[in-house]
Amino acid sequence: NAGVTQTPKFRVLKTGQSMTLLCAQDMNHEYMYWYRQDPGMGLRLIHYSVGEGTTAKGEVPDGYNVSRLKKQNFLLGLESAAPSQTSVYFCASSYERVEEETQYFGPGTRLLVL
Amino acid sequence: AQSVAQPEDQVNVAEGNPLTVKCTYSVSGNPYLFWYVQYPNRGLQFLLKYITGDNLVKGSYGFEAEFNKSQTSFHLKKPSALVSDSALYFCAVRDSGAGSYQLTFGKGTKLSVIP
Protein backbone atom coordinates (compact mmCIF):
# COMPACT_ATOMS: atom_id res chain seq x y z
CA ASN A 1 0.00 0.00 0.00
CA ALA A 2 1.97 2.98 -1.31
CA GLY A 3 -0.55 5.64 -0.24
CA VAL A 4 -0.17 8.82 -2.30
CA THR A 5 2.70 9.02 -4.77
CA GLN A 6 3.83 11.94 -6.91
CA THR A 7 5.88 12.04 -10.09
CA PRO A 8 8.38 13.62 -10.60
CA LYS A 9 10.09 14.52 -7.33
CA PHE A 10 11.97 17.48 -8.80
CA ARG A 11 11.89 19.37 -12.07
CA VAL A 12 13.50 22.43 -13.60
CA LEU A 13 11.62 24.23 -16.36
CA LYS A 14 12.32 27.24 -18.51
CA THR A 15 9.72 29.98 -18.74
CA GLY A 16 7.07 29.02 -21.27
CA GLN A 17 7.64 25.28 -21.11
CA SER A 18 4.85 22.92 -20.20
CA MET A 19 4.73 19.91 -17.90
CA THR A 20 2.36 17.56 -16.14
CA LEU A 21 2.60 16.43 -12.54
CA LEU A 22 1.11 13.04 -11.77
CA CYS A 23 -0.54 12.05 -8.51
CA ALA A 24 -1.64 8.50 -7.81
CA GLN A 25 -3.39 7.00 -4.79
CA ASP A 26 -4.19 3.39 -4.00
CA MET A 27 -6.65 3.95 -1.13
CA ASN A 28 -9.79 4.16 -3.29
CA HIS A 29 -10.35 7.76 -2.16
CA GLU A 30 -13.06 9.78 -3.85
CA TYR A 31 -11.53 13.21 -3.25
CA MET A 32 -8.19 14.43 -4.53
CA TYR A 33 -6.47 17.81 -4.21
CA TRP A 34 -3.50 19.77 -5.53
CA TYR A 35 -1.81 22.34 -3.29
CA ARG A 36 1.20 24.57 -3.61
CA GLN A 37 3.40 25.47 -0.67
CA ASP A 38 5.39 28.67 -0.62
CA PRO A 39 7.48 30.05 2.26
CA GLY A 40 5.35 31.98 4.75
CA MET A 41 2.16 31.22 2.80
CA GLY A 42 1.14 27.83 4.11
CA LEU A 43 -0.64 25.54 1.67
CA ARG A 44 -2.96 26.96 -0.93
CA LEU A 45 -5.45 24.86 -2.85
CA ILE A 46 -5.04 24.96 -6.63
CA HIS A 47 -7.71 22.54 -7.86
CA TYR A 48 -9.58 19.61 -6.43
CA SER A 49 -11.77 16.72 -7.53
CA VAL A 50 -14.70 15.06 -5.78
CA GLY A 51 -14.81 12.09 -8.12
CA GLU A 52 -13.71 10.59 -11.40
CA GLY A 53 -14.39 12.99 -14.26
CA THR A 54 -15.03 16.02 -12.02
CA THR A 55 -12.74 18.90 -11.12
CA ALA A 56 -13.16 22.27 -9.45
CA LYS A 57 -11.13 25.41 -8.87
CA GLY A 58 -9.51 26.15 -5.56
CA GLU A 59 -7.98 29.31 -4.18
CA VAL A 60 -5.19 29.80 -6.77
CA PRO A 61 -6.18 28.04 -10.04
CA ASP A 62 -4.79 30.48 -12.60
CA GLY A 63 -2.10 29.04 -14.86
CA TYR A 64 -2.97 25.43 -14.00
CA ASN A 65 -5.27 22.78 -15.42
CA VAL A 66 -6.22 19.40 -14.02
CA SER A 67 -7.80 16.14 -15.11
CA ARG A 68 -9.23 13.14 -13.25
CA LEU A 69 -9.82 10.52 -15.92
CA LYS A 70 -9.29 7.64 -13.52
CA LYS A 71 -10.31 7.54 -9.87
CA GLN A 72 -6.80 6.82 -8.68
CA ASN A 73 -5.01 9.52 -10.69
CA PHE A 74 -5.10 13.31 -10.57
CA LEU A 75 -2.97 15.25 -13.06
CA LEU A 76 -1.84 18.85 -12.70
CA GLY A 77 -0.75 20.63 -15.86
CA LEU A 78 1.21 23.79 -16.44
CA GLU A 79 0.70 24.89 -20.04
CA SER A 80 3.19 27.78 -20.03
CA ALA A 81 5.32 27.86 -16.91
CA ALA A 82 6.17 31.15 -15.22
CA PRO A 83 8.75 31.91 -12.51
CA SER A 84 5.85 32.64 -10.12
CA GLN A 85 4.98 28.95 -10.33
CA THR A 86 8.25 27.98 -8.66
CA SER A 87 6.99 26.13 -5.62
CA VAL A 88 6.57 22.79 -3.90
CA TYR A 89 3.45 21.01 -5.08
CA PHE A 90 1.58 18.54 -2.91
CA CYS A 91 -1.16 16.17 -3.87
CA ALA A 92 -3.58 14.82 -1.28
CA SER A 93 -6.56 12.49 -1.19
CA SER A 94 -9.37 11.68 1.23
CA TYR A 95 -12.57 9.73 1.69
CA GLU A 96 -15.88 11.47 1.11
CA ARG A 97 -17.41 10.77 4.51
CA VAL A 98 -17.00 13.64 6.93
CA GLU A 99 -16.06 11.26 9.74
CA GLU A 100 -13.13 10.16 7.62
CA GLU A 101 -12.17 13.66 6.52
CA THR A 102 -8.43 13.21 6.83
CA GLN A 103 -6.27 14.17 3.91
CA TYR A 104 -3.34 11.94 3.03
CA PHE A 105 -0.47 13.79 1.40
CA GLY A 106 2.12 12.78 -1.13
CA PRO A 107 5.84 13.55 -0.68
CA GLY A 108 5.74 16.62 -2.91
CA THR A 109 7.23 17.80 -6.20
CA ARG A 110 9.75 20.64 -6.20
CA LEU A 111 9.41 22.77 -9.31
CA LEU A 112 11.87 25.48 -10.32
CA VAL A 113 10.93 27.72 -13.22
CA LEU A 114 13.81 29.76 -14.63
CA ALA B 1 -15.42 32.87 4.01
CA GLN B 2 -13.29 30.64 6.20
CA SER B 3 -9.91 31.54 7.58
CA VAL B 4 -7.35 30.35 10.09
CA ALA B 5 -4.57 32.18 11.89
CA GLN B 6 -1.44 30.86 13.52
CA PRO B 7 -0.11 33.91 15.35
CA GLU B 8 3.39 32.54 16.00
CA ASP B 9 5.83 31.87 13.18
CA GLN B 10 8.11 30.00 15.58
CA VAL B 11 7.81 28.42 19.01
CA ASN B 12 10.85 27.35 21.01
CA VAL B 13 10.50 25.01 23.96
CA ALA B 14 12.93 23.02 26.08
CA GLU B 15 12.80 19.24 25.93
CA GLY B 16 10.51 17.88 28.64
CA ASN B 17 8.52 21.10 28.97
CA PRO B 18 4.90 21.41 27.87
CA LEU B 19 4.30 22.93 24.44
CA THR B 20 1.43 24.89 22.93
CA VAL B 21 0.98 25.88 19.30
CA LYS B 22 -1.83 28.37 18.82
CA CYS B 23 -4.58 28.43 16.22
CA THR B 24 -7.67 30.58 15.83
CA TYR B 25 -10.27 30.28 13.11
CA SER B 26 -13.19 32.06 11.50
CA VAL B 27 -16.16 30.34 9.85
CA SER B 28 -19.80 31.21 9.39
CA GLY B 29 -21.09 27.76 10.31
CA ASN B 30 -19.66 24.97 12.44
CA PRO B 31 -15.95 24.27 12.01
CA TYR B 32 -14.15 21.10 11.15
CA LEU B 33 -10.63 21.61 12.55
CA PHE B 34 -7.39 19.77 11.86
CA TRP B 35 -3.72 19.74 12.82
CA TYR B 36 -1.06 18.47 10.45
CA VAL B 37 2.70 18.17 10.92
CA GLN B 38 5.40 18.46 8.27
CA TYR B 39 8.93 17.16 8.76
CA PRO B 40 11.71 18.53 6.52
CA ASN B 41 11.38 17.54 2.86
CA ARG B 42 8.23 15.52 3.56
CA GLY B 43 4.53 15.82 2.90
CA LEU B 44 2.06 16.72 5.63
CA GLN B 45 0.95 14.09 8.12
CA PHE B 46 -2.37 14.12 9.95
CA LEU B 47 -2.18 14.59 13.74
CA LEU B 48 -5.74 15.06 14.96
CA LYS B 49 -9.12 16.53 14.13
CA TYR B 50 -12.27 17.95 15.68
CA ILE B 51 -15.49 17.21 13.84
CA THR B 52 -18.03 17.05 16.65
CA GLY B 53 -18.36 15.82 20.22
CA ASP B 54 -15.81 16.11 23.01
CA ASN B 55 -13.94 19.41 22.93
CA LEU B 56 -10.66 17.74 23.93
CA VAL B 57 -9.26 15.74 21.06
CA LYS B 58 -6.37 13.33 21.42
CA GLY B 59 -4.17 12.48 18.47
CA SER B 60 -0.95 10.88 17.36
CA TYR B 61 2.38 11.03 19.20
CA GLY B 62 0.84 12.27 22.48
CA PHE B 63 -0.58 15.48 21.02
CA GLU B 64 -3.98 16.86 21.95
CA ALA B 65 -6.01 19.93 21.11
CA GLU B 66 -8.93 21.69 22.72
CA PHE B 67 -11.78 23.14 20.71
CA ASN B 68 -12.98 26.39 22.29
CA LYS B 69 -16.02 27.74 20.46
CA SER B 70 -16.29 30.98 22.43
CA GLN B 71 -12.67 31.89 21.72
CA THR B 72 -12.73 30.33 18.22
CA SER B 73 -9.50 28.53 19.03
CA PHE B 74 -8.03 25.09 18.54
CA HIS B 75 -4.61 25.12 20.23
CA LEU B 76 -2.30 22.14 19.92
CA LYS B 77 -0.70 20.89 23.12
CA LYS B 78 1.65 18.24 24.43
CA PRO B 79 2.55 17.73 28.10
CA SER B 80 6.23 16.93 27.53
CA ALA B 81 8.05 17.95 24.35
CA LEU B 82 10.56 15.73 22.58
CA VAL B 83 13.38 16.83 20.30
CA SER B 84 11.76 14.68 17.61
CA ASP B 85 8.65 16.91 17.78
CA SER B 86 10.63 19.65 16.03
CA ALA B 87 8.76 20.28 12.78
CA LEU B 88 6.37 22.63 11.00
CA TYR B 89 2.78 22.49 12.28
CA PHE B 90 -0.27 23.51 10.31
CA CYS B 91 -3.78 24.19 11.56
CA ALA B 92 -6.62 23.86 9.02
CA VAL B 93 -10.35 24.57 8.99
CA ARG B 94 -13.38 23.78 6.88
CA ASP B 95 -16.76 25.40 7.30
CA SER B 96 -19.26 22.54 7.59
CA GLY B 97 -22.09 24.76 6.39
CA ALA B 98 -20.38 26.29 3.37
CA GLY B 99 -21.05 23.48 0.92
CA SER B 100 -17.37 23.45 0.10
CA TYR B 101 -14.82 20.67 0.28
CA GLN B 102 -11.93 23.05 0.65
CA LEU B 103 -9.63 23.13 3.64
CA THR B 104 -7.99 26.43 4.51
CA PHE B 105 -4.55 26.07 6.06
CA GLY B 106 -2.73 28.45 8.34
CA LYS B 107 0.73 29.66 7.42
CA GLY B 108 2.38 27.22 9.77
CA THR B 109 4.32 27.39 13.04
CA LYS B 110 7.84 26.10 13.27
CA LEU B 111 8.36 24.23 16.52
CA SER B 112 11.89 23.84 17.80
CA VAL B 113 12.46 21.64 20.82
CA ILE B 114 15.79 22.39 22.43
CA PRO B 115 17.70 19.54 24.10
Side-chain angles (χ1 to χ4, degrees), chain A residues 51-77:
Chain A
E52 182 177 321
T54 70
T55 63
K57 294 180 180 180
E59 181 184 353
V60 288
D62 294 343
Y64 305 94
N65 56 75
V66 289
S67 64
R68 183 106 181 262
L69 298 180
K70 293 182 179 181
K71 185 177 183 178
Q72 63 268 32
N73 295 338
F74 195 29
L75 278 63
L76 177 71

Side-chain angles (χ1 to χ4, degrees), chain A residues 10-17 81-86 111-114:
Chain A
F10 177 71
R11 185 77 182 268
V12 179
L13 288 180
K14 295 181 180 179
T15 296
Q17 287 185 319
S84 61
Q85 293 177 304
T86 292
L111 177 64
L112 174 62
V113 183
L114 302 175

Side-chain angles (χ1 to χ4, degrees), chain B residues 6 9 17 21 24-25 28 43 54 59 66-68 70 73-74 76 79 83 85 88 94 97 99 110 115:
Chain B
Q6 295 181 241
D9 291 336
N17 282 3
V21 183
T24 59
Y25 66 90
S28 56
D54 195 348
E66 186 166 10
F67 170 60
N68 187 318
S70 62
S73 67
F74 190 57
L76 181 70
V83 173
D85 293 330
L88 190 56
R94 180 166 87 78
K110 183 179 180 181

Side-chain angles (χ1 to χ4, degrees), chain A residues 5-26:
Chain A
T5 58
Q6 292 182 234
T7 309
K9 289 183 172 52
F10 177 71
R11 185 77 182 268
V12 179
L13 288 180
K14 295 181 180 179
T15 296
Q17 287 185 319
S18 63
M19 78 164 294
T20 300
L21 283 68
L22 171 63
C23 175
Q25 53 94 3
D26 60 3

Side-chain angles (χ1 to χ4, degrees), chain B residues 42-93:
Chain B
R42 304 285 296 275
L44 277 69
Q45 297 177 28
F46 169 77
L47 273 181
L48 51 80
K49 65 184 175 185
Y50 171 82
I51 302 296
T52 187
D54 195 348
N55 289 345
L56 183 63
V57 178
K58 294 187 183 296
S60 307
Y61 313 119
F63 285 94
E64 61 186 29
E66 186 166 10
F67 170 60
N68 187 318
K69 189 171 184 176
S70 62
Q71 297 187 2
T72 62
S73 67
F74 190 57
H75 302 330
L76 181 70
K77 299 182 179 184
K78 187 174 182 181
S80 178
L82 301 172
V83 173
S84 57
D85 293 330
S86 298
L88 190 56
Y89 290 81
F90 291 96
C91 182
V93 68

Side-chain angles (χ1 to χ4, degrees), chain A residues 31 37 99 101 103 110, chain B residues 34 36 38 41 49 94:
Chain A
Y31 297 173
Q37 183 179 25
E99 296 80 9
E101 193 163 331
Q103 292 190 17
R110 291 184 177 274
Chain B
F34 304 82
Y36 286 84
Q38 184 180 33
N41 300 313
K49 65 184 175 185
R94 180 166 87 78

